[in-house]
Amino acid sequence: MNREQPLVSVEDVTFGYEEEVILDRVSLEIGAQDFLAIIGPNGGGKTTLLKVILGLLRPWSGRVRVGLDGKEIGYVPQFAGFDKSFPLQVFDVVRLGRLGDRGPLRRYSREDNRRVEEVLDRFDLSSVARETIENLSGGQLQRTLIARALVTEPRILFLDEPLGSVDPESRQAVLGPLEELNRSIPVVVITHDITLFAGMIKQVACINRELFYHPGAEVTPEILEKVYGCPVELVAHGVPHRVLSDHHH
């Protein structure tokens, strides 16, 4: 990769659960202007790699260097783990991101509220700021969770399947702000379908225990076959690629 002063550097990291290796001597660098997509099969190590970078998991060997304070990292986990029945308004959910070191007993400041309003406007959520989250569409809730991560003013943003539960009509409302954000900070997305981020992705990391890094958005069928372990058909013109099973009959 040979880039100077990466914000994040993963060096020869190995990690697993019990005796099963999930990440096998993985190395990766994330630079200041990157828009990195991490792709690979289910169970291949995508989310595990992200958790190792975030410090949520400790590698068996190797090391992770993050040239940032942990508070400067924004993280949006997978949508599926969020409980929509919790009786909170959109404004309150986003403002939770401002808790930081203040603790739950300290009052929010005017600056906190101003920052929340700014981020809500950026993600076209001002009109639903006082709606409870149970009344939101999938796209609105995903934007709310991203806004909560951004209200901390991070210097890098990680997202795990940010479009996984977003209907096609709402995708641009998520993608537009992310593209704008990438002009100032790096963005890292875990995704099953890089075509959803067409024109935005600058680098691709393919992972299935081992990691294959591509400094551009182009990925060859040969590399994908090695990563997915089966034949791959790439369909162009904006249609997602299809990963095909290897049939022997």
Side-chain angles (χ1 to χ4, degrees), residues 79 84 122-125 128 135-144 146 162-178 196-197 200:
F79 172 99
K84 287 186 66 175
R122 180 185 227 175
F123 280 86
D124 195 23
L125 291 168
V128 295
N135 294 324
L136 300 183
S137 67
Q140 288 172 329
L141 180 55
Q142 184 64 71
R143 281 181 279 150
T144 298
I146 295 173
L163 299 179
S165 300
V166 178
D167 59 272
E169 292 74 22
S170 301
R171 284 174 184 162
Q172 190 53 44
V174 175
L175 293 174
L178 288 181
L196 297 174
F197 300 89
M200 299 169 60

Side-chain angles (χ1 to χ4, degrees), residues 10-30:
V10 178
E11 301 175 6
D12 206 29
V13 161
T14 296
F15 177 82
Y17 299 100
E18 297 181 355
E19 296 183 358
E20 181 183 1
V21 175
I22 303 298
L23 303 176
D24 187 8
R25 293 169 293 178
V26 166
S27 295
L28 176 68
E29 291 181 354
I30 303 172

Side-chain angles (χ1 to χ4, degrees), residues 35-204:
F35 195 115
L36 170 68
I38 301 176
I39 67 172
N42 290 333
K46 302 186 299 296
T47 299
T48 298
L49 173 60
L50 191 52
K51 289 181 177 179
V52 167
I53 292 173
L54 294 171
L56 301 176
L57 296 173
R58 184 174 181 178
W60 290 352
S61 62
R63 62 181 174 178
V64 177
R65 294 181 176 181
V66 180
L68 299 167
D69 188 307
K71 302 165 195 171
E72 297 174 313
I73 296 175
Y75 172 48
V76 183
Q78 286 194 47
F79 172 99
F82 193 84
D83 183 5
K84 287 186 66 175
S85 67
F86 202 70
L88 278 178
Q89 295 180 345
V90 170
F91 189 95
D92 297 325
V93 171
V94 175
R95 192 168 57 173
L96 285 172
R98 296 294 292 186
L99 277 176
D101 292 333
R102 75 176 63 251
L105 300 180
R106 291 184 58 186
R107 295 174 63 89
Y108 290 105
S109 66
R110 289 184 180 179
E111 174 60 20
D112 291 330
N113 292 333
R114 184 200 66 78
R115 178 61 180 156
V116 171
E117 291 170 355
E118 180 181 290
V119 175
L120 288 173
D121 183 63
R122 180 185 227 175
F123 280 86
D124 195 23
L125 291 168
S126 298
S127 62
V128 295
R130 298 302 173 185
E131 290 281 349
T132 57
I133 56 174
E134 65 182 349
N135 294 324
L136 300 183
S137 67
Q140 288 172 329
L141 180 55
Q142 184 64 71
R143 281 181 279 150
T144 298
L145 299 179
I146 295 173
R148 183 182 62 175
L150 288 182
V151 80
T152 64
E153 302 181 75
R155 289 179 57 199
I156 185 169
L157 180 64
F158 293 88
L159 306 103
D160 194 347
E161 295 289 357
L163 299 179
S165 300
V166 178
D167 59 272
E169 292 74 22
S170 301
R171 284 174 184 162
Q172 190 53 44
V174 175
L175 293 174
L178 288 181
E179 185 171 22
E180 177 187 350
L181 182 69
N182 185 230
R183 296 171 187 162
S184 55
I185 69 171
V187 176
V188 179
V189 297
I190 288 178
T191 180
H192 281 91
D193 187 357
I194 59 175
T195 63
L196 297 174
F197 300 89
M200 299 169 60
I201 292 171
K202 300 172 185 175
Q203 301 85 17
V204 177

